[in-house]
Amino acid sequence: PGWRPISFPLGPLVRAGVYKVEVAVGDSVAATEVVAEEDPRVEISDDDRLAHLEAVLHVGEMMAASMDGDEVVQDLEQQLRSLEEKESLPEEVTSAVESISRKLVELEMKLSRTGGLERRLGATGPPPAGRPVPLYPRLTGLYVSLNGYTEPPNPEQQERMPALSIELNDLLSAL
């Protein structure tokens, strides 16, 4: 018990409208409608609201792709570990496994939610000096800044999105 932070951001804020909510338990279903209203303190045009939503969804999709890439890395590492445990492997295979393992560690350090540090070193906190912050925390920071207030993406956020998208695609291509 006690407060625990959410390990990944929630989805975008719900748009104003009427929503049907259903709760099912066994064969019983209860349904009602709820109305989500605009915050009257927030003044934003429909175009800006749409730009905000599209940016939040785009960064959320990048976060999901990053997490999927992290899972691929973990699966590959597990497969390589099982190969390393086999006895009497030819030297070429052992050498290839070691080379691929090193490349995966580098990819994991650049891509993952923890930069691979927690699993590898038991470390927490920021990455060591000189090591860049992994992609996932940077995506999370952008997502939180976009989703924290209803406004269109600012110029810095607009600039960061395509750069992070290119970086993500490059890392996923390397897998």
Side-chain angles (χ1 to χ4, degrees), residues 69-81:
D70 191 43
E71 289 177 16
V72 169
V73 168
Q74 291 176 40
D75 290 345
L76 289 172
E77 285 177 333
Q78 184 177 4
Q79 293 175 34
L80 290 172
R81 279 192 299 276

PDB file of all heavy atoms in Angstrom, residues 69-81:
ATOM      1  N   GLY A  69       9.806  -2.745 -29.045  1.00  0.00           N
ATOM      2  CA  GLY A  69      11.216  -2.964 -29.364  1.00  0.00           C
ATOM      3  C   GLY A  69      11.996  -3.471 -28.170  1.00  0.00           C
ATOM      4  O   GLY A  69      12.852  -4.361 -28.290  1.00  0.00           O
ATOM      5  N   ASP A  70      11.711  -2.926 -27.014  1.00  0.00           N
ATOM      6  CA  ASP A  70      12.364  -3.375 -25.783  1.00  0.00           C
ATOM      7  C   ASP A  70      12.054  -4.848 -25.524  1.00  0.00           C
ATOM      8  O   ASP A  70      12.932  -5.617 -25.128  1.00  0.00           O
ATOM      9  CB  ASP A  70      11.905  -2.501 -24.620  1.00  0.00           C
ATOM     10  CG  ASP A  70      12.720  -2.714 -23.359  1.00  0.00           C
ATOM     11  OD1 ASP A  70      13.954  -2.814 -23.459  1.00  0.00           O
ATOM     12  OD2 ASP A  70      12.117  -2.783 -22.272  1.00  0.00           O
ATOM     13  N   GLU A  71      10.820  -5.260 -25.769  1.00  0.00           N
ATOM     14  CA  GLU A  71      10.448  -6.666 -25.586  1.00  0.00           C
ATOM     15  C   GLU A  71      11.170  -7.563 -26.582  1.00  0.00           C
ATOM     16  O   GLU A  71      11.597  -8.665 -26.242  1.00  0.00           O
ATOM     17  CB  GLU A  71       8.939  -6.837 -25.695  1.00  0.00           C
ATOM     18  CG  GLU A  71       8.200  -6.259 -24.509  1.00  0.00           C
ATOM     19  CD  GLU A  71       6.691  -6.370 -24.639  1.00  0.00           C
ATOM     20  OE1 GLU A  71       6.203  -7.153 -25.485  1.00  0.00           O
ATOM     21  OE2 GLU A  71       6.000  -5.666 -23.868  1.00  0.00           O
ATOM     22  N   VAL A  72      11.348  -7.101 -27.817  1.00  0.00           N
ATOM     23  CA  VAL A  72      12.100  -7.870 -28.813  1.00  0.00           C
ATOM     24  C   VAL A  72      13.537  -8.054 -28.334  1.00  0.00           C
ATOM     25  O   VAL A  72      14.097  -9.150 -28.414  1.00  0.00           O
ATOM     26  CB  VAL A  72      12.054  -7.182 -30.197  1.00  0.00           C
ATOM     27  CG1 VAL A  72      13.049  -7.813 -31.158  1.00  0.00           C
ATOM     28  CG2 VAL A  72      10.650  -7.234 -30.775  1.00  0.00           C
ATOM     29  N   VAL A  73      14.134  -6.981 -27.821  1.00  0.00           N
ATOM     30  CA  VAL A  73      15.504  -7.074 -27.303  1.00  0.00           C
ATOM     31  C   VAL A  73      15.573  -8.119 -26.190  1.00  0.00           C
ATOM     32  O   VAL A  73      16.466  -8.971 -26.176  1.00  0.00           O
ATOM     33  CB  VAL A  73      16.010  -5.705 -26.798  1.00  0.00           C
ATOM     34  CG1 VAL A  73      17.303  -5.847 -26.007  1.00  0.00           C
ATOM     35  CG2 VAL A  73      16.212  -4.749 -27.964  1.00  0.00           C
ATOM     36  N   GLN A  74      14.648  -8.064 -25.254  1.00  0.00           N
ATOM     37  CA  GLN A  74      14.649  -9.022 -24.148  1.00  0.00           C
ATOM     38  C   GLN A  74      14.486 -10.455 -24.647  1.00  0.00           C
ATOM     39  O   GLN A  74      15.164 -11.370 -24.164  1.00  0.00           O
ATOM     40  CB  GLN A  74      13.553  -8.671 -23.147  1.00  0.00           C
ATOM     41  CG  GLN A  74      13.842  -7.385 -22.400  1.00  0.00           C
ATOM     42  CD  GLN A  74      12.702  -6.990 -21.487  1.00  0.00           C
ATOM     43  OE1 GLN A  74      12.100  -7.836 -20.846  1.00  0.00           O
ATOM     44  NE2 GLN A  74      12.400  -5.709 -21.435  1.00  0.00           N
ATOM     45  N   ASP A  75      13.596 -10.667 -25.623  1.00  0.00           N
ATOM     46  CA  ASP A  75      13.406 -12.010 -26.183  1.00  0.00           C
ATOM     47  C   ASP A  75      14.687 -12.503 -26.864  1.00  0.00           C
ATOM     48  O   ASP A  75      15.082 -13.659 -26.690  1.00  0.00           O
ATOM     49  CB  ASP A  75      12.250 -12.028 -27.185  1.00  0.00           C
ATOM     50  CG  ASP A  75      10.888 -11.865 -26.538  1.00  0.00           C
ATOM     51  OD1 ASP A  75      10.781 -12.027 -25.296  1.00  0.00           O
ATOM     52  OD2 ASP A  75       9.917 -11.561 -27.275  1.00  0.00           O
ATOM     53  N   LEU A  76      15.315 -11.631 -27.642  1.00  0.00           N
ATOM     54  CA  LEU A  76      16.565 -12.013 -28.312  1.00  0.00           C
ATOM     55  C   LEU A  76      17.662 -12.322 -27.299  1.00  0.00           C
ATOM     56  O   LEU A  76      18.421 -13.275 -27.477  1.00  0.00           O
ATOM     57  CB  LEU A  76      17.005 -10.904 -29.274  1.00  0.00           C
ATOM     58  CG  LEU A  76      16.157 -10.730 -30.524  1.00  0.00           C
ATOM     59  CD1 LEU A  76      16.580  -9.472 -31.274  1.00  0.00           C
ATOM     60  CD2 LEU A  76      16.257 -11.958 -31.422  1.00  0.00           C
ATOM     61  N   GLU A  77      17.745 -11.517 -26.253  1.00  0.00           N
ATOM     62  CA  GLU A  77      18.754 -11.775 -25.212  1.00  0.00           C
ATOM     63  C   GLU A  77      18.530 -13.140 -24.572  1.00  0.00           C
ATOM     64  O   GLU A  77      19.483 -13.874 -24.310  1.00  0.00           O
ATOM     65  CB  GLU A  77      18.718 -10.685 -24.143  1.00  0.00           C
ATOM     66  CG  GLU A  77      19.325  -9.380 -24.579  1.00  0.00           C
ATOM     67  CD  GLU A  77      19.217  -8.291 -23.532  1.00  0.00           C
ATOM     68  OE1 GLU A  77      18.280  -8.329 -22.698  1.00  0.00           O
ATOM     69  OE2 GLU A  77      20.078  -7.398 -23.547  1.00  0.00           O
ATOM     70  N   GLN A  78      17.280 -13.482 -24.324  1.00  0.00           N
ATOM     71  CA  GLN A  78      16.969 -14.789 -23.726  1.00  0.00           C
ATOM     72  C   GLN A  78      17.379 -15.919 -24.676  1.00  0.00           C
ATOM     73  O   GLN A  78      17.969 -16.915 -24.246  1.00  0.00           O
ATOM     74  CB  GLN A  78      15.487 -14.875 -23.397  1.00  0.00           C
ATOM     75  CG  GLN A  78      15.098 -16.160 -22.699  1.00  0.00           C
ATOM     76  CD  GLN A  78      13.624 -16.186 -22.326  1.00  0.00           C
ATOM     77  OE1 GLN A  78      12.867 -15.264 -22.650  1.00  0.00           O
ATOM     78  NE2 GLN A  78      13.217 -17.237 -21.652  1.00  0.00           N
ATOM     79  N   GLN A  79      17.108 -15.762 -25.947  1.00  0.00           N
ATOM     80  CA  GLN A  79      17.502 -16.777 -26.920  1.00  0.00           C
ATOM     81  C   GLN A  79      19.018 -16.920 -26.980  1.00  0.00           C
ATOM     82  O   GLN A  79      19.544 -18.040 -27.060  1.00  0.00           O
ATOM     83  CB  GLN A  79      16.947 -16.433 -28.296  1.00  0.00           C
ATOM     84  CG  GLN A  79      15.439 -16.517 -28.389  1.00  0.00           C
ATOM     85  CD  GLN A  79      14.919 -16.040 -29.730  1.00  0.00           C
ATOM     86  OE1 GLN A  79      15.564 -16.219 -30.756  1.00  0.00           O
ATOM     87  NE2 GLN A  79      13.737 -15.432 -29.732  1.00  0.00           N
ATOM     88  N   LEU A  80      19.718 -15.797 -26.932  1.00  0.00           N
ATOM     89  CA  LEU A  80      21.186 -15.853 -26.964  1.00  0.00           C
ATOM     90  C   LEU A  80      21.742 -16.503 -25.705  1.00  0.00           C
ATOM     91  O   LEU A  80      22.712 -17.264 -25.769  1.00  0.00           O
ATOM     92  CB  LEU A  80      21.763 -14.445 -27.146  1.00  0.00           C
ATOM     93  CG  LEU A  80      21.520 -13.826 -28.523  1.00  0.00           C
ATOM     94  CD1 LEU A  80      21.951 -12.364 -28.532  1.00  0.00           C
ATOM     95  CD2 LEU A  80      22.245 -14.611 -29.607  1.00  0.00           C
ATOM     96  N   ARG A  81      21.127 -16.209 -24.543  1.00  0.00           N
ATOM     97  CA  ARG A  81      21.582 -16.851 -23.295  1.00  0.00           C
ATOM     98  C   ARG A  81      21.421 -18.365 -23.371  1.00  0.00           C
ATOM     99  O   ARG A  81      22.292 -19.113 -22.922  1.00  0.00           O
ATOM    100  CB  ARG A  81      20.829 -16.292 -22.091  1.00  0.00           C
ATOM    101  CG  ARG A  81      21.376 -14.971 -21.587  1.00  0.00           C
ATOM    102  CD  ARG A  81      20.805 -14.585 -20.230  1.00  0.00           C
ATOM    103  NE  ARG A  81      19.360 -14.425 -20.234  1.00  0.00           N
ATOM    104  CZ  ARG A  81      18.713 -13.319 -20.604  1.00  0.00           C
ATOM    105  NH1 ARG A  81      19.397 -12.267 -21.001  1.00  0.00           N
ATOM    106  NH2 ARG A  81      17.398 -13.268 -20.578  1.00  0.00           N
TER     107      ARG A  81
END
